[in-house]
Amino acid sequence: MMKQDEILLILDFGSQVTQLIARKIRELNVYCEIHPFNISIEKIKQINPKAIIFSGGPQSVYGENAPISDSRIYDLNIPLLGICYGLQLIAHQLGGKVENSSKREFGRAILNLNNSSSLFSGFNSSTEVWMSHGDSLTSLPTGFNSIANTTNTSIGAIEQKEKNIYGVQFHPEVHHTKEGKKIFENYLFKISKFNRTWSSSSFITSSINEIKERVKNENVICALSGGVDSSVTAILLERAIGKQLHCIHIDNGLMRSNESKYVVETIQNKFNLQLHFVDASKLFLSKLANVEDPELKRKIIGNTFIEVFEEEANKIPNTKYLAQGTLYPDVIESVSNMGPSATIKTHHNVGGLPEKMNLKLIEPLRELFKDEVREVGKLLGLPNELLNRHPFPGPGLAIRVLGSITENRLNILRKADSIYIEELQKNNLYDLIWQAFAVLLPINSVGVMGDERTYENVLALRAVTSTDGMTADWFNMPNEVLGIISNRIINEVRGINRVVYDVSSKPPATIEWE
């Protein structure tokens, strides 16, 4: 955990958008952390938050397995804001009444303000919000006031001013709530009295000090793939411990075209890092032979990754740490102990590691979102070409070649993906897209080439827009550009006779196909 003077604690009750609360808080230059709803009072006291937010959640407070926090939280005299389920839990635990509503609310609603509460300071008499609830608060706890309502919900927000306890029945964290950011601003600065102390520069300073304190005289090896996350991790560590850092670039056979050459030329030469190059492509591909299950692929890659690293680490004396570019969304999306949210998939650098490791993990970016990482990288002097690269998954092309992985199928995908990215850059679309990539499907289709029947691979193109990768919309690719890309791939890449474009958003789909 980062050492911060002021921390806002977010307790996760199972909402799929809990991480959006954290993003909004960080944007306001306040440091926050997400912890599970059942965190102990002792742990909360140890964290010593300046304020707390209860997230939303899919369950009813009366449900058999409803997530319920320790009621002693209300005795800590810490400002508290409950969102949706969080509001209902506060009311339920403090003596109010929550009931299943005959008129559920999902989607946009007009919130009418009926009290001059600090939470809505600077608001007009009404504002547009985003609702998502079946239960409603029908009776207030003693000492609470209703400060807002909608057509279907008589109690849309509550406050207990003396104890600084607030609740809203809607979701201020989603962009559909027009003035959601202002609500958080009021809660943070007017009610909880935070200072704006969180920034990329303050993160760099505190991280360097923390790394020095933890590592001392030991050596650290860093997995340097050449992507934004690993590159920022490496430069941050180099600033902290200098030559105690040994970067290792593994060619696992699952990289994009000329990836290793790019890493050496862009990262090693510019920043003078100690770089150890390992060609383990045959080892990885042999272990992945005939493996089709995506989760098994991740486990194999994660285990092999650690094996190779430990072998390389044995060549470097006094090595005790393995550094990885794990990000906060990786942690949230992979690990169920962040709350009762469903695990979507594991990430190779979070859930795919063997339980027993000979090296201790150090993950300096573990509490950052992607845009924060890019800002940190910019301050550290990384070139824009690298910072603006689209995210690339840890398991590499293994999860973009659906089904069995072979060298031939990898080469087909590499060529097609290179053409795709080249055309996006040529048409000035690359920087408008969060992530774009090609996926080789495990099916063939009938085609006609040169008056002959073909039965070859289908390739899917994916391009999405996003802020932090937690939610994403498919990119509205110009038809003429899609036509050029499809034509080039089918003509130039032997083995593909059909190209399709993915128009799914996240949720319900994920960005990657596996």
Side-chain angles (χ1 to χ4, degrees):
M1 185 180 77
M2 291 288 297
K3 295 179 180 178
Q4 296 289 327
D5 294 332
E6 296 185 338
I7 297 177
L8 182 135
L9 175 63
I10 301 169
L11 297 191
D12 178 20
F13 289 88
S15 170
Q16 292 293 343
V17 293
T18 297
Q19 66 281 352
L20 295 183
I21 303 172
R23 282 300 304 118
K24 295 293 184 183
I25 301 302
R26 298 277 186 90
E27 287 172 5
L28 293 168
N29 302 115
V30 170
Y31 180 72
C32 62
E33 293 179 355
I34 300 174
H35 286 266
F37 71 93
N38 55 0
I39 184 174
S40 68
I41 288 293
E42 291 70 25
K43 180 64 174 178
I44 292 176
K45 289 179 179 178
Q46 180 184 339
I47 294 172
N48 191 28
K50 196 167 183 176
I52 296 173
I53 291 179
F54 284 2
S55 82
Q59 300 195 47
S60 167
V61 293
Y62 297 112
E64 183 178 348
N65 298 310
I68 304 291
S69 288
D70 192 318
S71 61
R72 289 176 292 175
I73 287 177
Y74 306 109
D75 299 325
L76 296 177
N77 294 318
I78 297 173
L80 174 61
L81 171 65
I83 295 174
C84 200
Y85 176 90
L87 169 145
Q88 295 170 11
L89 179 64
I90 290 171
H92 173 64
Q93 289 187 302
L94 294 180
K97 189 174 183 181
V98 177
E99 296 182 287
N100 188 263
S101 178
S102 59
K103 293 183 178 180
R104 300 183 299 170
E105 278 190 307
F106 295 95
R108 289 181 174 85
I110 299 300
L111 185 76
N112 302 305
L113 309 181
N114 52 28
N115 184 290
S116 57
S117 170
S118 298
L119 194 64
F120 298 120
S121 178
F123 280 61
N124 294 321
S125 60
S126 64
T127 185
E128 188 175 296
V129 300
W130 186 262
M131 291 283 192
S132 180
H133 67 102
D135 290 354
S136 293
L137 176 60
T138 58
S139 178
L140 289 166
T142 302
F144 279 76
N145 294 315
S146 174
I147 55 176
N149 65 79
T150 69
T151 301
N152 292 330
T153 302
S154 61
I155 304 175
I158 61 174
E159 75 169 0
Q160 214 292 11
K161 194 170 183 179
E162 288 72 25
K163 292 188 176 182
N164 279 332
I165 300 177
Y166 296 80
V168 294
Q169 187 57 76
F170 54 90
H171 287 273
E173 69 272 30
V174 301
H175 74 270
H176 306 292
T177 296
K178 297 296 186 183
E179 297 180 282
K181 185 176 181 179
K182 187 182 291 187
I183 291 172
F184 285 124
E185 281 184 320
N186 289 336
Y187 178 64
L188 293 174
F189 306 120
K190 291 185 180 296
I191 295 169
S192 305
K193 309 301 182 185
F194 274 94
N195 297 299
R196 296 179 185 266
T197 57
W198 169 255
S199 66
S200 296
S201 58
S202 69
F203 168 81
I204 291 172
T205 301
S206 60
S207 292
I208 288 174
N209 292 334
E210 190 172 319
I211 292 167
K212 285 180 178 177
E213 182 182 336
R214 182 180 179 191
V215 172
K216 294 184 172 61
N217 296 321
E218 310 286 1
N219 283 330
V220 179
I221 55 174
C222 176
L224 183 58
S225 68
V228 176
D229 306 336
S230 67
S231 299
V232 172
T233 298
I235 305 307
L236 192 61
L237 282 159
E238 194 277 334
R239 293 285 177 88
I241 59 175
K243 295 301 181 183
Q244 291 170 242
L245 173 67
H246 295 262
C247 294
I248 299 175
H249 176 71
I250 294 179
D251 183 351
N252 58 11
L254 306 168
M255 311 290 283
R256 292 170 288 197
S257 296
N258 300 315
E259 192 76 15
S260 296
K261 181 181 178 182
Y262 175 86
V263 173
V264 173
E265 292 180 352
T266 307
I267 306 298
Q268 183 189 29
N269 294 346
K270 180 175 175 59
F271 293 96
N272 195 30
L273 297 176
Q274 297 186 92
L275 181 63
H276 305 251
F277 177 79
V278 182
D279 184 354
S281 54
K282 291 183 179 179
L283 175 64
F284 277 84
L285 293 182
S286 65
K287 291 195 174 188
L288 288 167
N290 301 316
V291 176
E292 296 187 4
D293 180 76
E295 284 298 281
L296 184 55
K297 288 179 184 178
R298 281 184 162 84
K299 294 290 184 183
I300 291 171
I301 293 167
N303 290 338
T304 307
F305 169 83
I306 293 299
E307 289 173 16
V308 173
F309 258 80
E310 288 192 327
E311 182 178 348
E312 194 67 20
N314 289 333
K315 302 174 186 177
I316 304 169
N318 203 33
T319 297
K320 295 293 175 65
Y321 293 96
L322 166 64
Q324 291 188 163
T326 308
L327 303 191
Y328 211 13
D330 298 340
V331 177
I332 295 169
E333 195 171 67
S334 297
V335 186
S336 299
N337 68 3
M338 295 304 292
S341 307
T343 297
I344 308 300
K345 61 184 178 184
T346 58
H347 288 256
H348 90 291
N349 55 350
V350 179
L353 300 180
E355 292 182 5
K356 183 178 179 181
M357 282 181 18
N358 295 330
L359 297 172
K360 297 177 182 178
L361 274 180
I362 185 167
E363 300 168 307
L365 308 182
R366 188 179 176 88
E367 291 154 351
L368 295 187
F369 291 90
K370 192 76 175 188
D371 54 328
E372 293 176 313
V373 174
R374 287 196 170 102
E375 181 61 30
V376 168
K378 185 176 181 180
L379 292 175
L380 291 172
L382 286 166
N384 287 332
E385 176 192 353
L386 187 147
L387 291 175
N388 295 328
R389 291 185 90 194
H390 293 177
F392 188 64
L397 299 182
I399 58 170
R400 292 179 179 174
V401 171
L402 306 195
S404 295
I405 299 169
T406 65
E407 186 64 41
N408 181 54
R409 298 193 77 210
L410 286 167
N411 286 332
I412 289 173
L413 180 59
R414 284 192 187 98
K415 292 175 184 176
D417 192 72
S418 293
I419 292 171
Y420 183 26
I421 300 303
E422 179 185 324
E423 287 297 331
L424 291 179
Q425 291 171 334
K426 188 185 297 183
N427 288 276
N428 298 315
L429 296 174
Y430 185 84
D431 290 338
L432 302 178
I433 297 169
W434 163 267
Q435 191 172 8
F437 56 90
V439 182
L440 192 64
L441 305 185
I443 55 174
N444 289 356
S445 74
V446 175
V448 177
M449 290 184 177
D451 296 327
E452 293 185 358
R453 178 185 183 274
T454 62
Y455 192 60
E456 294 179 329
N457 294 280
V458 178
L459 184 85
L461 302 178
R462 180 78 157 139
V464 298
T465 57
S466 180
T467 300
D468 53 26
M470 300 308 299
T471 60
D473 292 321
W474 58 275
F475 181 71
N476 191 7
M477 190 80 68
N479 288 340
E480 60 272 20
V481 177
L482 270 177
I484 292 169
I485 294 169
S486 174
N487 189 57
R488 279 197 62 191
I489 288 173
I490 291 173
N491 282 315
E492 297 177 31
V493 183
R494 186 176 295 275
I496 295 174
N497 69 357
R498 191 180 300 272
V499 175
V500 298
Y501 188 61
D502 183 348
V503 292
S504 313
S505 295
K506 175 186 179 179
T510 55
I511 295 178
E512 296 284 349
W513 278 46
E514 287 192 342

